[in-house]
Amino acid sequence: MRSENKSIVSEFLLLGLHIWPEQWSIFFTLFLGMYLTTVLGNLLIILLIRLDSRLHTPMYFFLSHLALTDIFFSSVTVPKMLLSLQTQHLSITYEGCISQTYFFIFFADLDSFLITSMAYDRYVAICHPLHYTSVMSQSLCGMLVAVSWVIAGACALLHTLLLARLSFCADHIIPHFFCDLGALLKLSCSDTSLNQVVIFTAGLAAIMLPFLCILVSYGRIGFTIFQVPSSKGIYKALSTCGSHLSVVILYYGAIIGLYFLPSSSNTGDNNIIASVMYTVVTPMLNPFIYSLRNKDMKGALFKLLSKKTYSSN
């Protein structure tokens, strides 16, 4: 039996973004446009990689999975946020909230692992170019992606099972636009010490450790690049890494700012802004980063458009 200050929570209320009522339609239009751009842009990346044989390389194999993950990652939170802005229906069922938490953690971790795999690919390509084909084999690439999916799913499941065992107080208001794990733990009347330990441990394993691996990879890449006497060689190496490095800065910058900076600097508004950055903005920018800064992607897009124009004539 639960004590009187506890209740069986059947739903939570997501307060969402702190905006004035007269601005709801503006923000609805803005976020709808960003979400459609995310979905269509990443689908275009997947299509180009699928259709152009020149993009059937390890780097673009990882990129296609990253694009698919970004679609799912954004779809976990943005449609519910759009619904709340349009209808002002702020509630989400207990089961829906737990499910949203699972998929949010799953795709956030999967993003991290895939970005790390891409950093390793760039490391091998630049630091060990003669062994690139033998090292980055099709089997290794498939294994890296499969392991990323399995570990991300296991981490998300662990967090979700530990969350589901908790009881919640009568206060069921979440000051966020999605079911953030940290916000849910603050509402719990149970002992969350085990959850906090797992969050810290899994955070190191799924976020900080991959981030450190990326830093080491780019440190080695930088050392190798500046040993190349040719400015053309330096430019070529930088051009192959620039897109991926931009994604790394956007993704990990927002996460570290949100979850790893001192709590005194993380007000509610700052948390929401940082969350919007890596759940909405970063997945939307990835297609532009990889298409505008990458001549292979631009070539594939031009080839596709040329075929469409020729067939229509």
Side-chain angles (χ1 to χ4, degrees):
M1 297 291 293
R2 300 186 183 204
S3 58
E4 292 183 357
N5 65 337
K6 298 181 183 179
S7 63
I8 299 176
V9 175
S10 60
E11 65 178 21
F12 295 95
L13 289 181
L14 298 173
L15 290 188
L17 305 173
H18 300 161
I19 56 178
W20 296 103
E22 58 268 19
Q23 297 176 323
W24 287 341
S25 59
I26 298 175
F27 276 87
F28 174 81
T29 304
L30 174 63
F31 285 114
L32 177 61
M34 296 172 71
Y35 177 65
L36 292 177
T37 302
T38 298
V39 173
L40 296 177
N42 283 289
L43 283 176
L44 179 61
I45 284 182
I46 296 172
L47 178 65
L48 292 177
I49 294 174
R50 178 78 174 177
L51 296 179
D52 197 322
S53 60
R54 294 173 300 176
L55 301 180
H56 294 173
T57 64
M59 181 65 178
Y60 295 107
F61 173 74
F62 293 130
L63 177 57
S64 64
H65 281 271
L66 181 65
L68 182 63
T69 302
D70 280 341
I71 294 173
F72 290 144
F73 186 37
S74 187
S75 298
V76 170
T77 58
V78 178
K80 173 57 182 173
M81 179 175 64
L82 291 173
L83 179 64
S84 297
L85 285 172
Q86 183 68 14
T87 65
Q88 293 308 299
H89 182 71
L90 305 181
S91 65
I92 182 172
T93 64
Y94 173 83
E95 294 79 7
C97 193
I98 298 297
S99 299
Q100 189 183 60
T101 301
Y102 170 82
F103 286 109
F104 180 85
I105 297 172
F106 174 54
F107 290 117
D109 288 351
L110 183 56
D111 250 0
S112 179
F113 295 139
L114 290 174
I115 292 172
T116 307
S117 299
M118 295 170 74
Y120 177 69
D121 173 80
R122 293 299 85 198
Y123 162 74
V124 177
I126 293 174
C127 298
H128 304 284
L130 299 180
H131 303 284
Y132 178 76
T133 304
S134 59
V135 173
M136 298 304 298
S137 62
Q138 186 175 1
S139 59
L140 176 64
C141 294
M143 185 188 70
L144 287 174
V145 169
V147 169
S148 297
W149 280 79
V150 170
I151 296 179
C155 288
L157 182 61
L158 177 60
H159 284 299
T160 306
L161 290 176
L162 291 176
L163 177 64
R165 72 183 179 87
L166 302 178
S167 57
F168 291 90
C169 302
D171 183 12
H172 60 292
I173 298 176
I174 301 175
H176 222 309
F177 64 89
F178 68 95
C179 293
D180 179 64
L181 179 60
L184 285 170
L185 293 184
K186 291 179 182 179
L187 298 180
S188 175
C189 298
S190 306
D191 179 14
T192 61
S193 56
L194 178 58
N195 298 73
Q196 299 291 349
V197 170
V198 173
I199 288 175
F200 178 78
T201 305
L204 289 178
I207 302 298
M208 294 308 298
L209 183 58
F211 181 59
L212 290 176
C213 290
I214 292 173
L215 291 181
V216 171
S217 297
Y218 274 100
R220 296 291 300 274
I221 289 172
F223 179 77
T224 302
I225 287 175
F226 290 107
Q227 283 187 324
V228 178
S230 166
S231 58
K232 182 179 178 180
I234 295 177
Y235 174 78
K236 182 179 179 181
L238 290 175
S239 65
T240 61
C241 297
S243 300
H244 180 256
L245 194 56
S246 301
V247 172
V248 170
I249 294 172
L250 282 172
Y251 182 78
Y252 285 101
I255 289 183
I256 291 173
L258 178 60
Y259 293 109
F260 293 95
L261 288 183
S263 57
S264 59
S265 63
N266 286 340
T267 64
D269 289 340
N270 288 341
N271 285 346
I272 291 177
I273 292 172
S275 297
V276 169
M277 277 297 298
Y278 80 92
T279 60
V280 183
V281 178
T282 300
M284 179 193 69
L285 291 180
N286 284 354
F288 294 99
I289 291 172
Y290 280 106
S291 60
L292 296 178
R293 295 179 55 91
N294 190 302
K295 66 177 183 180
D296 292 333
M297 292 296 296
K298 288 189 288 187
L301 179 59
F302 178 76
K303 181 180 177 181
L304 178 63
L305 293 176
S306 299
K307 285 184 177 179
K308 293 293 184 182
T309 304
Y310 179 78
S311 60
S312 63
N313 293 334

